[in-house]
């Protein structure tokens, strides 16, 4: 077997990333596509993500360490995800972001393709109080295949995200950030659910009462405080330890 460079991340981070990948697959937020990454805890200028592989199948041996330009370390010949630049460019522009999830989460797609804004409809989606911008890839590159396949496109996406927690990508999907793997996973799952509930609410008599900015901010802090509970449950299920 070919030798691959040893990861500089802690074992705990490696385990969380493997769990995160499988949890998102379990919730059908990721299918054969999409990915999760984490900023390397020992080398903050680098990040860790799987080689190009379906998230449900990811093991520790699939994880790669990528440099600040989203390129593999010398000697690592494995094929990385085309869209790893999404992650690298967000880590570059947002020093406090510790984990990123990119998905093709189906319920968010209509919000990226219409004028209706995705907004926090319940407390689990409260982190959306920050606003949910839509990344229009055409503004950066008229002739595109929707994929964030290089650094300039990654940079443009990171610019659209700005200081927000979630950015939608027109005709493609979404990307969320968190202060760690559990929070990014939580946000990816509840962005999908919030979108589904918002769509359902439009069938009923409106107008829809969304969370206020203050409620959103307060609830985001509360959710951080109880994150350990869903994380323990999801991780146990995903790693088959029960
Ligand atoms: Mn994608």
């Amino acid at each position: 077997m070919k030798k691959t460079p040893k990861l500089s991340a802690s074992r705990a981070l490696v385990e969380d990333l493997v769990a995160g990948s499988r949890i998102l697959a379990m919730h059908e937020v990721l299918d054969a596509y999409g990915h999760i990454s984490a900023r390397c805890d020992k080398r903050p200028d680098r990040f860790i993500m799987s080689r190009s592989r379906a998230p449900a199948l990811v093991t520790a041996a699939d994880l790669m360490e990528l440099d600040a330009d989203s390129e593999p370390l010398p000697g690592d010949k494995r094929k990385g995800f085309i869209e790893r630049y999404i992650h690298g460019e967000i880590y570059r522009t947002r020093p406090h972001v510790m984990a990123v999830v990119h998905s093709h989460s189906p319920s968010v797609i209509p919000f990226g393709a219409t004028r209706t804004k995705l907004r926090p409809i319940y407390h689990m989606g409260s982190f959306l109080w920050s606003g949910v911008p839509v990344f229009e890839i055409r503004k950066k590159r008229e002739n595109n295949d929707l994929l964030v396949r290089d650094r300039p496109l990654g940079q443009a996406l990171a610019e659209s995200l700005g200081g927000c927690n979630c950015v939608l990508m027109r005709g493609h999907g979404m990307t969320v950030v968190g202060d760690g793997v559990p929070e990014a996973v939580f946000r990816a799952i509840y962005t999908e659910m919030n979108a589904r509930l918002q769509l359902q609410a439009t069938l009923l008599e409106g107008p829809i009462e969304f969370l206020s900015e203050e409620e959103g901010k307060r609830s985001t802090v509360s959710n951080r405080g109880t994150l350990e509970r869903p994380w323990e449950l999801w991780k146990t299920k995903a790693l088959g330890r029960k």
Side-chain angles (χ1 to χ4, degrees), residues 99-176:
V100 173
V101 175
H102 164 62
S103 86
H104 305 158
S105 196
S107 307
V108 310
I109 303 298
F111 295 93
T114 61
R115 289 180 179 197
T116 305
K117 296 261 177 244
L118 182 63
R119 295 176 63 187
I121 198 164
Y122 76 147
H123 65 314
M124 307 309 281
S126 54
F127 57 91
L128 301 172
W129 74 265
S130 65
V132 186
V134 177
F135 172 61
E136 174 47 84
I137 194 167
R138 269 183 218 141
K139 282 191 187 158
K140 182 71 188 173
R141 198 166 298 164
E142 183 66 38
N143 296 315
N144 69 82
D145 65 356
L146 282 313
L147 300 183
V148 178
R149 51 170 55 259
D150 53 36
R151 276 191 55 202
L153 288 173
Q155 239 164 25
L157 176 76
E159 265 169 41
S160 288
L161 171 70
C164 300
N165 297 321
C166 176
V167 60
L168 303 186
M169 301 151 82
R170 194 264 312 157
H172 180 173
M174 63 108 183
T175 297
V176 288

Side-chain angles (χ1 to χ4, degrees), residues 204-218:
L204 307 178
E205 186 178 312
I208 302 172
E209 194 65 42
F210 292 101
L211 267 63
S212 69
E213 191 174 318
E214 189 58 29
E215 286 171 337
K217 284 182 186 170
R218 284 173 183 270

Side-chain angles (χ1 to χ4, degrees), residues 1-2 16 24 26-27 45 52 61 80 107 118 150 186 200 204 213-214 232:
M1 222 172 86
K2 267 185 275 173
D16 275 0
L24 291 166
M26 202 169 77
H27 283 86
D45 56 328
S52 178
S107 307
L118 182 63
D150 53 36
F186 174 97
Q200 285 170 4
L204 307 178
E213 191 174 318
E214 189 58 29
E232 185 195 13

Side-chain angles (χ1 to χ4, degrees), residues 18-66:
V18 171
S21 257
R22 298 193 188 181
I23 290 165
L24 291 166
M26 202 169 77
H27 283 86
E28 298 181 341
V29 170
L30 303 183
D31 48 17
Y33 297 96
H35 20 80
I36 178 168
S37 72
R39 188 187 290 278
C40 183
D41 48 357
K42 309 278 185 196
R43 290 281 312 248
D45 56 328
R46 295 180 178 171
F47 64 102
I48 312 287
M49 76 189 291
S50 166
R51 69 183 172 96
S52 178
R53 192 172 199 202
L57 306 178
V58 166
T59 68
D62 296 313
L63 298 183
M64 300 172 71
E65 190 160 327
L66 303 171

